Amino acid sequence: DEKEIIYIAFQAINVTENKVLDGHEVVIRTEQSISQSLQLQIGLSEEDIRNGIPFQDAVNQISEYLGALKGSVRVITDGQAHIRQCLQPDAVRRDCILPGLFNSF
């Protein structure tokens, strides 16, 4: 049962200094109905999600932010599933090209 990605949160971390640089959240627009329990879990209303940005814009925003960081940037996840089973398939469904940094994690 595949659903659209509606929310991406990430932190930029300087691994050399072991410091969190910044945290970001991106709300992605969808026309899908969102359950009450999911709304409470992520702290967003259906209106917040309807007013979100398109998926491609969210990917571009994340890529631009990470690209502006000094040094080598890697995507670190809690396993491969987040990228391979969520982000990449959703990008294909939405006819969106993911930047190369999402292929190295």
Side-chain angles (χ1 to χ4, degrees):
D1 192 20
E2 296 175 352
K3 303 281 185 185
E4 289 182 336
I5 294 173
I6 58 169
Y7 178 76
I8 298 174
F10 69 95
Q11 290 185 322
I13 300 170
N14 179 326
V15 294
T16 305
E17 297 178 18
N18 198 26
K19 286 175 38 177
V20 174
L21 301 175
D22 209 355
H24 289 274
E25 299 177 339
V26 180
V27 179
I28 300 168
R29 182 183 313 139
T30 185
E31 299 302 319
Q32 289 184 358
S33 179
I34 308 302
S35 71
Q36 281 291 101
S37 63
L38 181 58
Q39 289 178 43
L40 291 172
Q41 184 179 357
I42 61 177
L44 299 171
S45 69
E46 282 205 40
E47 184 178 345
D48 293 329
I49 295 166
R50 274 195 307 274
N51 292 330
I53 62 176
F55 183 81
Q56 182 69 61
D57 292 350
V59 168
N60 292 344
Q61 201 176 88
I62 293 167
S63 180
E64 287 172 13
Y65 172 78
L66 295 175
L69 295 176
K70 304 278 189 254
S72 179
V73 174
R74 293 279 184 260
V75 174
I76 300 171
T77 67
D78 182 14
Q80 297 180 12
H82 301 18
I83 303 291
R84 293 183 188 240
Q85 295 177 354
C86 299
L87 193 60
Q88 290 175 341
D90 206 18
V92 169
R93 275 192 302 278
R94 297 180 195 223
D95 197 28
C96 172
I97 297 173
L98 293 175
L101 70 98
F102 291 104
N103 296 321
S104 175
F105 50 91

